[in-house]
Amino acid sequence: IDMQTRNVVGGVAALAALAAVRYAWTKPPQTVSDKSEVVQLLGGAGDPKLTAVVLALLTAVEDIAVTFRRTSQCKAVNTQNSFGDEQLNVDILSNDLIFKHLANSTCVATASSEETPQETPLGGKGFSVAFDPLDGSSIVATNFTVGTIAGVWAGDSLVGVKARDLKASMVALYGPRTTVSLAVAGVDYCHELTLIPSGGGGLKWEHSQVFDKIKDGKIFAPGNLRGTQDNKGYNELVHHWITNKYTLRYTGGMVPDVNQLLIKGEGIFTNPSSPSAPAKLRLLYEVGPMAYLVEKAGGVSSDGRQSILDLVVTHTEQRTQVAMGSKKEVQRFVDLVGYAEPMIVTK
């Protein structure tokens, strides 16, 4: 075959491959994906009902990822959730998709989300799920990475639980790739799953990484920097990072800013409280599940006094300050910033 013919054949093959990828990302959400590697990973937990709940969440993630790629605009819908946050069309779509798939699993008794922060009966038995359907909606219009956070507890109520009792926790990231970081009770470490095209135009969840260590390092993601104005300890901490030439890696979205601790295996994420800028992150929907992931990956978490995993959820709308990352860096947060009482904030 001459060079010109070879180039033509190669070009046709490349276009065919690209078309297959595009089809996989735009095909209808009801398409069944290959989750065999996930089922194998979850085998260590030894609970078929828990597996069913995790698989339902992954199916919802697939649908949300497809929705993003089929939605030309992320628009406000002139409504607010009970926390006073402006809602976008993609917030509501994501929320509805997760509720639908959890109900279809028949293994979820109760679910609650940041968009609808009441305990909603779903008619199943076995587990309760708390989730933030679209964390980072304030940066979604700029096409930054955003995500879904979910925690799964045994039982039929979410009030009174602790993150240490989680049966599974996950964060999905919708960026250049769609990935999930997953931690499960009874399965060592934290694991990354990547959604990729498979044969025949389908989708497959590939077990792509294991996160087992978060070491000391000079990466920092400082949330709530306004708090440095009247939180002396936080101001000192930020000054320490800057004068010691740490690397700033911060998007303003909790999902990518915490997940980078797993990917990089080092660093710290903080979001403290101050008199003029009180804590805004929710223990049940965001902080608890994310702290579980970090600690399963070898890191630590703290509210300034104790591990986030030991905080009791007294109300679905409870908020807390937080630091997550390597042991040494979180201890520096504890020493300089210290403790702030959790808050319950309603609209």
Side-chain angles (χ1 to χ4, degrees), residues 72-101:
S72 60
Q73 291 182 318
C74 299
K75 305 182 219 178
V77 290
N78 297 319
T79 61
Q80 295 179 328
N81 62 21
S82 68
F83 298 109
D85 301 328
E86 184 177 54
Q87 291 180 306
L88 303 179
N89 55 343
V90 286
D91 284 315
I92 296 173
L93 285 169
S94 302
N95 194 61
D96 291 347
L97 283 168
I98 296 172
F99 269 114
K100 180 187 80 170
H101 287 294

Side-chain angles (χ1 to χ4, degrees), residues 21-286:
V21 171
R22 284 176 173 168
Y23 173 73
W25 285 121
T26 58
K27 62 193 305 185
Q30 65 266 23
T31 301
V32 177
S33 64
D34 180 354
K35 299 184 180 73
S36 57
E37 292 189 23
V38 183
V39 173
Q40 183 177 4
L41 173 65
L42 291 169
D47 189 333
K49 284 192 172 184
L50 179 60
T51 296
V53 175
V54 172
L55 295 185
L57 287 168
L58 290 178
T59 301
V61 168
E62 296 167 23
D63 286 3
I64 294 169
V66 169
T67 297
F68 271 122
R69 287 165 173 80
R70 296 165 69 96
T71 302
S72 60
Q73 291 182 318
C74 299
K75 305 182 219 178
V77 290
N78 297 319
T79 61
Q80 295 179 328
N81 62 21
S82 68
F83 298 109
D85 301 328
E86 184 177 54
Q87 291 180 306
L88 303 179
N89 55 343
V90 286
D91 284 315
I92 296 173
L93 285 169
S94 302
N95 194 61
D96 291 347
L97 283 168
I98 296 172
F99 269 114
K100 180 187 80 170
H101 287 294
L102 290 177
N104 289 344
S105 77
T106 72
C107 297
V108 178
T110 305
S112 180
S113 82
E114 186 176 298
E115 300 302 320
T116 53
Q118 301 83 31
E119 293 189 283
T120 302
L122 293 187
K125 293 183 179 180
F127 297 93
S128 293
V129 180
F131 61 93
D132 183 349
L134 192 63
D135 186 82
S137 55
S138 63
I139 61 173
V140 70
T142 58
N143 211 22
F144 282 18
T145 295
V146 294
T148 297
I149 305 169
V152 182
W153 282 268
D156 58 5
S157 179
L158 293 164
V159 175
V161 301
K162 297 186 293 185
R164 193 172 297 281
D165 298 326
L166 276 160
K167 296 303 180 184
S169 177
M170 57 165 274
V171 57
L173 292 92
Y174 312 108
R177 299 176 298 143
T178 298
T179 66
V180 165
S181 295
L182 173 69
V184 180
V187 178
D188 291 339
Y189 310 126
C190 182
H191 301 261
E192 182 187 70
L193 310 170
T194 302
L195 188 61
I196 62 173
S198 65
L203 297 172
K204 176 183 178 180
W205 285 101
E206 181 178 78
H207 186 192
S208 46
Q209 288 193 72
V210 178
F211 306 125
D212 61 0
K213 187 176 184 180
I214 299 178
K215 63 182 187 298
D216 296 325
K218 290 189 172 183
I219 295 175
F220 73 110
N224 199 20
L225 280 174
R226 284 171 294 193
T228 59
Q229 298 301 306
D230 55 356
N231 184 323
K232 181 181 178 182
Y234 193 34
N235 188 60
E236 290 179 12
L237 182 57
V238 172
H239 181 72
H240 168 83
W241 292 329
I242 294 172
T243 56
N244 285 275
K245 299 181 179 179
Y246 280 50
T247 299
L248 174 65
R249 289 289 182 268
Y250 182 68
T251 70
M254 186 184 188
V255 164
D257 292 337
V258 173
N259 199 70
Q260 72 174 336
L261 302 175
L262 310 178
I263 301 293
K264 299 290 187 180
E266 63 178 278
I268 184 168
F269 167 86
T270 59
N271 197 299
S273 188
S274 82
S276 65
K280 64 179 289 187
L281 297 178
R282 288 82 171 183
L283 175 61
L284 180 62
Y285 306 111
E286 300 165 309

Side-chain angles (χ1 to χ4, degrees), residues 214-216 267 298-300 325-332:
I214 299 178
K215 63 182 187 298
D216 296 325
V300 298
S326 72
K327 182 177 181 180
K328 182 178 178 180
E329 292 299 332
V330 172
Q331 186 59 51
R332 183 176 287 114

